[in-house]
């Protein structure tokens, strides 16, 4: 909203004088940490993507599936080079849906996950019209041995006769982060608390505190984009001792991207002594440790007419 945008601008002006300090201090801390932890690290990949019309069909589902295949090509490209990959917010939803502020349009890019139970391996189930997205990411995570964090939309039916908070269309649409482990098992699901596009998305009644463990010995917390501006769930996770985070972002304008990167992500990473795996659109992803953007290698990917890059960073812990 305009009020939120202006609030970010004010924050930018307030913190501008601190940026040089953050840069110099974080560089010193991160360098020292790398020396201390050189023998303990994992490899993090950041998928860079924005939804694209490949021109192969006008069908919404087919366009959606083509973008999923683009993600899978990025996963293939870093197989053996990374242990975990994070994709951006809104990367699997056509931008015109948000431009139209259309809840009905958003439903066309939403899935239902009935009775979510951590530990389900959708790759071991037959693919169907209802589970195709879960099936394909589960199989890709297993094939390429990658812990995979992907942002999508989940629709949850509700009953207005018994639920006073149930929307008029009898369904809640949540901005959702899904995490699959390297076996293809769905190990985490998080619903964004502090939503953008409030006419389209619903906010969960309770703030969800979601974490997941990995085979390489690191426990991650999960929150999404605008959540970083608020203490919950971010600070709650830090208080529980979580030091590593997957963070899907969508900030398009140069000012908002700069504010997100410098004021919110870097400041949080430095103050909380945290590592943030941040994926934002086509060019603004990075891995941050103690406020410092870690060096990344670029892996080029091509699918049909589109080119993408995946960042891969060695992350000490």
């Amino acid at each position: 909203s305009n009020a939120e945008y202006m609030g970010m601008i004010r924050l930018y002006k307030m913190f501008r004088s601190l940026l040089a300090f953050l840069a110099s201090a974080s560089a010193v801390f991160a360098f020292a940490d790398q020396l201390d932890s050189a023998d303990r690290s994992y490899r993090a990949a950041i998928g860079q993507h924005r939804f694209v019309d490949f021109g192969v069909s006008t069908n919404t589902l087919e366009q959606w599936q083509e973008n999923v295949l683009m993600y899978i090509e990025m996963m293939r490209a870093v197989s053996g080079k990374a242990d975990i990959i994070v994709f951006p917010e809104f990367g699997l939803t056509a931008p015109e849906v948000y431009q139209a502020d259309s809840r009905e349009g958003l439903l066309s890019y939403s899935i239902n996950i009935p009775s979510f139970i951590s530990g389900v391996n959708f790759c071991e189930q037959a693919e169907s019209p209802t589970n195709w997205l879960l099936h394909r990411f589960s199989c890709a995570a297993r094939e390429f041995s990658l812990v995979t964090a992907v942002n999508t939309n989940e629709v949850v039916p509700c009953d207005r006769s018994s639920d006073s908070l149930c929307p008029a269309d009898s369904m809640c649409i949540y901005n959702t982060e899904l995490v699959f482990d390297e076996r293809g098992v769905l190990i985490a699901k998080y619903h964004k608390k502090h939503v953008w596009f409030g006419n389209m998305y619903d906010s969960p009644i309770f703030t969800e505190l979601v974490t997941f463990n990995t085979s390489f010995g690191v426990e991650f917390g999960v929150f999404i984009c605008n959540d970083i501006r608020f203490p919950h769930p971010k600070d709650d996770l830090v208080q529980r001792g979580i030091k590593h985070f997957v963070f899907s972002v969508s900030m398009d304008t140069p000012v908002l991207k700069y504010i997100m990167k410098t004021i919110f992500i870097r400041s949080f990473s430095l103050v909380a002594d945290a590592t943030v795996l941040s994926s934002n659109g086509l060019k603004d992803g990075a891995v941050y440790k103690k406020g410092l953007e870690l060096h990344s290698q670029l892996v080029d990917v091509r699918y049909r007419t589109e080119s993408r890059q995946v960042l891969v960073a060695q992350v000490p812990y």
Side-chain angles (χ1 to χ4, degrees):
S1 69
N2 186 60
E4 290 172 321
Y5 178 85
M6 294 307 298
M8 286 187 175
I9 295 296
R10 287 193 293 270
L11 279 172
Y12 164 69
K13 292 179 179 178
M14 289 172 57
F15 283 94
R16 190 173 182 178
S17 62
L18 296 177
L19 296 182
F21 168 77
L22 289 173
S24 59
S26 62
V28 172
F29 294 147
F31 178 72
D33 190 73
Q34 288 185 40
L35 292 177
D36 293 339
S37 308
D39 59 334
R40 294 186 303 138
S41 65
Y42 61 90
R43 300 164 299 170
I46 306 298
Q48 302 194 111
H49 180 69
R50 183 175 296 144
F51 190 96
V52 63
D53 181 347
F54 285 97
V56 297
S57 173
T58 58
N59 180 277
T60 295
L61 177 60
E62 292 179 4
Q63 284 288 347
W64 190 9
Q65 291 175 337
E66 286 294 309
N67 281 267
V68 169
L69 290 173
M70 178 83 254
Y71 273 28
I72 291 173
E73 286 303 307
M74 287 190 270
M75 295 171 68
R76 185 190 311 277
V78 296
S79 178
K81 302 174 183 177
D83 303 298
I84 183 171
I85 187 167
V86 182
F87 289 104
E89 184 184 31
F90 303 153
L92 294 178
T93 305
E96 55 264 27
V97 171
Y98 300 110
Q99 294 163 7
D101 201 19
S102 169
R103 186 174 170 91
E104 182 178 352
L106 189 61
L107 284 171
S108 300
Y109 293 94
S110 300
I111 61 172
N112 177 254
I113 307 175
S115 303
F116 169 75
I117 301 175
S118 179
V120 175
N121 192 321
F122 287 93
C123 193
E124 297 176 353
Q125 303 176 5
E127 182 174 330
S128 71
T130 56
N131 80 352
W132 69 268
L133 184 144
L134 300 166
H135 178 85
R136 293 187 189 187
F137 276 116
S138 173
C139 290
R142 183 166 73 175
E143 179 180 358
F144 305 124
S145 192
L146 277 171
V147 178
T148 303
V150 59
N151 181 263
T152 188
N153 311 307
E154 182 184 15
V155 57
V156 179
C158 57
D159 186 352
R160 298 191 70 203
S161 65
S162 58
D163 183 356
S164 61
L165 298 178
C166 181
D169 54 8
S170 297
M171 59 188 70
C172 294
I173 306 177
Y174 296 116
N175 183 329
T176 305
E177 195 81 6
L178 302 176
V179 182
F180 301 84
D181 71 9
E182 71 277 11
R183 301 167 299 163
V185 175
L186 182 62
I187 55 172
K189 180 178 75 170
Y190 168 72
H191 293 143
K192 184 179 182 180
K193 177 62 177 176
H194 305 284
V195 299
W196 208 263
F197 300 111
N199 292 329
M200 302 168 65
Y201 284 105
D202 298 292
S203 174
I205 298 173
F206 302 105
T207 301
E208 301 173 358
L209 300 183
V210 175
T211 65
F212 61 92
N213 289 292
T214 61
S215 60
F216 47 87
V218 175
E219 184 177 11
F220 288 85
V222 186
F223 53 89
I224 301 170
C225 200
N226 197 41
D227 286 332
I228 201 170
R229 296 176 55 216
F230 301 87
H232 311 292
K234 169 174 58 71
D235 293 352
D236 303 309
L237 293 167
V238 171
Q239 289 171 9
R240 291 190 174 194
I242 305 301
K243 293 292 186 181
H244 298 255
F245 297 87
V246 296
F247 185 50
S248 295
V249 185
S250 178
M251 286 289 177
D252 290 335
T253 69
V255 171
L256 289 181
K257 286 189 290 187
Y258 187 71
I259 291 172
M260 173 60 76
K261 176 179 178 178
T262 56
I263 295 178
F264 292 113
I265 303 177
R266 291 186 62 190
S267 296
F268 167 68
S269 175
L270 179 61
V271 173
D273 187 20
T275 298
V276 182
L277 280 51
S278 173
S279 179
N280 181 19
L282 283 173
K283 296 181 179 180
D284 296 282
V287 177
Y288 300 88
K289 183 176 178 63
K290 292 187 175 181
L292 177 70
E293 183 175 327
L294 297 186
H295 172 73
S296 299
Q297 295 181 334
L298 295 177
V299 178
D300 293 317
V301 183
R302 188 166 182 84
Y303 177 71
R304 293 192 183 274
T305 59
E306 294 295 316
S307 298
R308 294 288 185 268
Q309 287 186 321
V310 184
L311 309 180
V312 180
Q314 195 83 16
V315 185
Y317 67 93

